[in-house]
Amino acid sequence: MTEAESQSQSRLSAELLSMIRCIACREPLKRQDDGYSCSACGRRFPEVRGVLRFVAADSYADSFSYQWQRYARTQLDHSGRSLSEHDFIKKTGFAPEELRGKLVLDVGCGMGRFAEVATRWGARVIGIDLSAAAEVAARNLVDRDFVAMQADVFELPFAPESFDYIYSIGVLHHTPDCEKAFKNLPQYLKPGGSIVVWLYSGYNKWYRFSDQYRKLTHRMSIRQLHAALRVVVPFFYWLDRGLRALPLVGRPLAGLVHHVFPVNRHPDPEVRVLDTLDWYSPKYQSKHTYEEVFRWFENCGLEAMSVAEISIGVRGRKPLTGPQNESQETLNATGAPVERG
Ligand SMILES: C[S@@+](CC[C@H](N)C(=O)[O-])C[C@H]1O[C@@H](n2cnc3c(N)ncnc32)[C@H](O)[C@@H]1O
């Protein structure tokens, strides 16, 4: 690690100390040798294998613990490959210069592929994840301006208005209540800060087929499901290739099979199995529309909403305090401005 990197890391540790809060009583925490503790209520939050723990177990996210430990680096960019960077840009609309030097929260960081991009662009990132994926992210990004925590989006250990940016990619639809999970986040944005979420699309009605299969597959042991997919995914991949080679009816037929039995068709065979496992293993998987998500953003008082290149990604900004908030407070119930006496 260079001197500049280690200075930056100690800056992140100092920032963390000022913003970290007890999830039970919301009081500031004190640093100890093996984690943090709350002097007000006495709760302790240990650091184990490089990860601060705010939950005792991975709860319903155990399939993700397995998935990200098994595929720890498959989607991590490295020299000569920038697939996650392209995905990050398409799902968030972020540009490197806007994240540079900013403090960013990655909600549901998984094994850290998007935090890898954000830190490469010069951001300081705190990544939280309910599953043991947080450990994988900590290992993958050990030389970066990055802190990993095992924590629940519904109970985050931060003071309000801590972050310049918050993003959550492919996560909130895997919680029991996506809207509630989203609405918990804007409080942690600084005024003027931006939030982006990317969720599965509710417009694709073909997903109804896989929703039926998932009722069974999410109950299978993750190891059994993984073993089955290692056979099923190549089968459907080669079936797809074979059908496409047929004249005239080949392509429509391949499309029909793909919609009824969705299996990932990525060029990399490992990504195909990983992504299909990710689709069929989670206990919760909701789908959403722009109408719904825009309403959530508006309900939270966010402004300047925009959509990302890949649906459905929505971005919004927390208003700066001052005139904008005052003007919001002076609207009457019908939305018309109230005259000041
Ligand atoms: C599909 S993965 C996406 C990971 C990462 N954002 C990416 O795209 O590579 C979903 C992640 O959400 C996490 N997750 C699910 N429920 C969560 C919760 N309540 N709090 C925090 N993370 C959660 C899972 O553990 C899992 O790592």
Side-chain angles (χ1 to χ4, degrees):
M1 193 183 302
T2 64
E3 196 178 325
E5 280 167 352
S6 87
Q7 273 176 5
S8 189
Q9 273 203 350
S10 53
R11 180 171 168 204
L12 184 57
S13 309
E15 280 174 308
L16 187 59
L17 192 59
S18 70
M19 73 168 78
I20 199 160
R21 294 289 181 272
C22 176
I23 55 171
C25 69
R26 309 307 306 170
E27 289 298 315
L29 297 180
K30 267 193 333 201
R31 183 84 179 114
Q32 294 194 316
D33 286 347
D34 58 350
Y36 284 83
S37 70
C38 178
S39 11
C41 74
R43 263 188 81 166
R44 298 190 64 255
F45 303 100
E47 185 173 327
V48 184
R49 293 188 287 280
V51 172
L52 277 167
R53 313 283 170 155
F54 289 90
V55 290
D58 51 11
S59 176
Y60 62 84
D62 52 348
S63 66
F64 290 112
S65 296
Y66 175 87
Q67 172 179 315
W68 294 126
Q69 279 167 341
R70 175 65 183 73
Y71 294 96
R73 297 179 69 85
T74 305
Q75 292 176 305
L76 204 61
D77 282 353
H78 50 73
S79 50
R81 196 183 72 173
S82 48
L83 294 177
S84 289
E85 185 173 33
H86 288 143
D87 211 19
F88 189 56
I89 294 170
K90 283 186 176 166
K91 288 178 174 168
T92 63
F94 286 146
E97 32 319 333
E98 70 178 315
L99 292 197
R100 190 169 305 132
K102 302 295 187 202
L103 185 61
V104 177
L105 177 63
D106 180 337
V107 177
C109 61
M111 54 64 144
R113 62 176 165 148
F114 295 125
E116 189 283 322
V117 178
T119 52
R120 186 160 22 106
W121 287 358
R124 303 182 304 286
V125 180
I126 294 182
I128 69 102
D129 201 287
L130 184 59
S131 74
E135 282 180 29
V136 182
R139 277 202 304 277
N140 282 339
L141 302 181
V142 70
D143 58 346
R144 299 295 179 89
D145 245 357
F146 176 75
V147 172
M149 298 179 178
Q150 193 173 0
D152 189 344
V153 63
F154 294 104
E155 221 175 30
L156 290 175
F158 305 114
E161 304 192 348
S162 291
F163 295 93
D164 299 302
Y165 286 87
I166 297 177
Y167 65 82
S168 182
I169 305 175
V171 174
L172 305 182
H173 50 225
H174 290 309
T175 68
D177 188 337
C178 187
E179 176 176 357
K180 193 169 160 207
F182 171 77
K183 288 185 171 173
N184 197 33
L185 295 176
Q187 61 179 307
Y188 300 107
L189 269 183
K190 292 177 186 169
S194 291
I195 179 166
V196 178
V197 292
W198 186 86
L199 301 169
Y200 287 147
S201 165
Y203 299 106
N204 186 343
K205 300 302 173 206
W206 288 102
Y207 286 165
R208 285 177 190 161
F209 287 100
S210 53
D211 287 346
Q212 293 305 317
Y213 314 145
R214 192 177 308 98
K215 287 180 186 165
L216 172 74
T217 54
H218 92 77
R219 289 197 169 82
M220 290 171 71
S221 101
I222 184 73
R223 282 167 203 281
Q224 278 174 359
L225 177 61
H226 184 215
L229 291 179
R230 287 170 62 138
V231 177
V232 171
V233 172
F235 170 77
F236 277 101
Y237 179 74
W238 289 110
L239 179 66
D240 182 78
R241 298 281 298 257
L243 288 175
R244 276 166 192 276
L246 295 177
L248 293 174
V249 291
R251 283 181 163 262
L253 201 57
L256 183 69
V257 171
H258 177 68
H259 281 113
V260 177
F261 300 104
V263 160
N264 187 282
R265 294 180 290 187
H266 195 276
D268 178 341
E270 196 159 283
V271 174
R272 287 202 287 274
V273 178
L274 158 60
D275 237 52
T276 310
L277 183 68
D278 187 274
W279 188 250
Y280 286 104
S281 60
K283 177 165 183 192
Y284 301 108
Q285 196 203 81
S286 51
K287 321 282 188 309
H288 302 278
T289 61
Y290 280 118
E291 291 82 347
E292 260 187 291
V293 180
F294 268 69
R295 207 175 321 115
W296 302 347
F297 272 66
E298 281 164 4
N299 291 162
C300 292
L302 297 164
E303 60 180 20
M305 267 97 81
S306 58
V307 302
E309 205 177 320
I310 305 183
S311 61
I312 66 159
V314 180
R315 174 178 178 151
R317 191 175 60 208
K318 187 171 193 169
L320 289 164
T321 45
Q324 290 173 37
N325 279 353
E326 270 176 43
S327 73
Q328 272 177 8
E329 281 163 13
T330 54
L331 297 180
N332 70 18
T334 62
V338 175
E339 280 189 19
R340 289 169 188 237

